[in-house]
Amino acid sequence: MKHFLTTFIFWVLSMIAFSQSKSVDISKLYDLPVHSRGDLSFSASANILLNTPNGVQLVGGFKMRIFMTKRISFDSDILFGRDYIHAGPGIFGIPLWIIYLGSSGNSEESETSLSNRLFYALVMVTSAEHTSFHFPVRKSFDISPYFSLLRYRSSYEYGRYSNTNMTNEQFCFATGLELNKYCKRLLLSPYIEYSMGYANHVPGINAGIYCGIYFLNQTRKQYKNL
């Protein structure tokens, strides 16, 4: 555990030092998009989980991100492995945000019923339960602290689904730090986070790396003042 954390901290410091390099060639190779409302990214990940019912687990995952301003994004991730899964309401909310922002320029009045509008609004608002803040370090690199307030987690000891000695399914709090390295539209994001279940208060540490694609908002001129 100590060796893992030491290695990760060294990795973080190395990336920051690398990003601060004044090499002209490096600054020409990489270009950080100027984030704007409606920008998207989609990433796949390899992850390691510590302190699960099965000790250390390796899992895979997927992440969606939509920028609400140039410094704030709503994220949602889903991680899954053997007898483990976690996800947040943004899995449903972010696609609705994409549809909403894509159709916001349409002047025709929507015929969606009031009940459907309320449902969409609720799901979209709950997307904010996983919020990231983006602080640029260099043109190719930003740092993103984040928090998640309403993550659902299901974690069982292998083959013991009837075990009542632990809380296997619960909502959780998580907070972490992500490093985003950009190369044109490609995105590389190592991260580490601390999580805790609301029911059993058992802490855990997750870490991994996301690899994805960044998409610019085609109508970003509408939000140039954000």
Side-chain angles (χ1 to χ4, degrees), residues 6-226:
T6 301
T7 302
F8 186 84
I9 291 172
F10 175 77
W11 183 18
V12 170
L13 294 176
S14 297
M15 288 192 68
I16 293 175
F18 176 77
S19 71
Q20 297 290 355
S21 170
K22 296 183 179 180
S23 171
V24 175
D25 293 334
I26 293 297
S27 65
K28 289 181 178 180
L29 286 175
Y30 298 102
D31 185 26
L32 171 65
V34 177
H35 303 310
S36 180
R37 187 182 187 190
D39 287 359
L40 305 168
S41 68
F42 300 92
S43 306
S45 66
N47 316 79
I48 183 171
L49 313 179
L50 307 181
N51 199 29
T52 75
N54 301 292
V56 178
Q57 284 188 250
L58 298 178
V59 298
F62 175 78
K63 185 173 197 173
M64 298 184 292
R65 167 174 289 162
I66 183 167
F67 278 86
M68 308 310 296
T69 75
K70 65 181 180 180
R71 293 285 182 265
I72 299 175
S73 68
F74 291 166
D75 302 359
S76 186
D77 65 332
I78 179 169
L79 296 188
F80 48 88
R82 183 180 177 186
D83 294 331
Y84 181 92
I85 185 170
H86 84 225
I91 288 291
F92 306 100
I94 290 180
L96 290 179
W97 274 113
I98 295 172
I99 295 172
Y100 173 76
L101 293 176
S103 61
S104 59
N106 188 349
S107 60
E108 296 182 2
E109 184 177 355
S110 173
E111 297 180 355
T112 306
S113 68
L114 177 60
S115 60
N116 285 340
R117 289 183 183 180
L118 292 176
F119 171 75
Y120 293 155
L122 176 63
V123 178
M124 290 165 70
V125 166
T126 55
S127 302
E129 69 86 23
H130 189 139
T131 301
S132 293
F133 305 91
H134 298 263
F135 301 99
V137 176
R138 196 172 169 82
K139 286 199 301 182
S140 62
F141 181 47
D142 71 27
I143 297 177
S144 300
Y146 64 87
F147 64 87
S148 181
L149 300 176
L150 199 62
R151 175 185 291 172
Y152 169 77
R153 182 176 68 198
S154 175
S155 182
Y156 286 86
E157 188 176 355
Y158 296 152
R160 297 189 64 188
Y161 308 117
S162 61
N163 184 5
T164 60
N165 295 325
M166 62 179 65
T167 305
N168 302 112
E169 299 183 23
Q170 61 185 308
F171 287 100
C172 305
F173 164 81
T175 184
L177 182 67
E178 184 176 88
L179 311 178
N180 300 303
K181 187 73 173 179
Y182 300 85
C183 181
K184 301 301 183 182
R185 290 178 59 184
L186 297 181
L187 172 64
L188 192 66
S189 304
Y191 79 95
I192 187 168
E193 72 172 31
Y194 170 88
S195 65
M196 183 181 68
Y198 287 128
N200 61 9
H201 305 293
V202 174
I205 293 178
N206 304 343
I209 186 166
Y210 284 93
C211 182
I213 301 178
Y214 189 98
F215 297 92
L216 297 177
N217 174 23
Q218 297 301 315
T219 59
R220 61 168 44 195
K221 290 183 179 179
Q222 300 177 24
Y223 312 105
K224 63 182 179 180
N225 294 323
L226 289 179

